[in-house]
Amino acid sequence: MTTNAKKMSTKLKKGDLVMVVAGGNSTKEKQLKGRTGKILRFLPKKDRVIVEGLNMIKRHKKARAVNEPSGILEKEGSMHISNVMYFSEEFKRPVRIKMRTLDDGRKVRGFVNPSTRQFEQIDV
């Protein structure tokens, strides 16, 4: 049995603070570009992520049991992984993540500081 599961190629992790660099719909008052949030979930089959507090969608829920409430639920929708970028709180801007191998053999994530052009680690 063969599976067509593809591996999602990203250096982001669950819990990373990201900024939306593209996307949104101004006609529906869903301007997403420039907003930040933490990654809650990855959807690798579709190359998408769910970011906390962004791309809110409404779902209508019918009560299935007598004691279960019905109504309109609001939850986070997914967005394509290419539309988000790691956000550096120190520099207040999105930065591109790189992987480096230290002298002791450990692989660490980090980014190049835009002002000094030096590599700065994210994970310590």
Side-chain angles (χ1 to χ4, degrees), residues 12 63 72 87 92 121-122 124:
L12 294 172
I72 301 172
F87 183 73
K92 304 284 188 257
Q121 289 184 33
I122 296 172
V124 180

Side-chain angles (χ1 to χ4, degrees), residues 85-119:
M85 211 171 165
Y86 184 82
F87 183 73
S88 170
E89 291 181 279
E90 182 182 347
F91 300 110
K92 304 284 188 257
R93 61 181 279 188
V95 290
R96 186 167 289 144
I97 295 179
K98 297 179 180 274
M99 299 296 280
R100 290 274 166 92
T101 306
L102 299 178
D103 294 334
D104 60 356
R106 289 185 300 136
K107 278 181 86 172
V108 293
R109 290 188 316 153
F111 59 91
V112 176
N113 184 332
S115 57
T116 63
R117 304 280 185 224
Q118 296 294 318
F119 183 78

